[in-house]
Amino acid sequence: MANKRPKGLYWLLFLISTAAFVAAIFYHWEYLTLIIPFVCTYFVLALDII
């Protein structure tokens, strides 16, 4: 039996983290690289690659 994962939640978290990433670029936040793992992880989970 395949487990159903909450893809909608992962897409929402991906969009939020992407918005935070864009805002960090816009405001020149020095900890910009801390957001990148969240963007990548939630994108992969939303596409159900893992």
Side-chain angles (χ1 to χ4, degrees):
M1 247 185 222
N3 292 337
K4 287 224 156 203
R5 295 182 129 190
K7 289 184 187 177
L9 175 64
Y10 292 140
W11 278 111
L12 179 66
L13 290 171
F14 166 69
L15 292 175
I16 291 171
S17 61
T18 302
F21 183 67
V22 171
I25 290 172
F26 181 73
Y27 292 116
H28 303 288
W29 192 42
E30 62 264 10
Y31 297 113
L32 171 72
T33 56
L34 294 176
I35 302 172
I36 295 172
F38 294 102
V39 173
C40 296
T41 302
Y42 289 132
F43 182 68
V44 168
L45 287 172
L47 291 179
D48 202 20
I49 295 174
I50 294 179

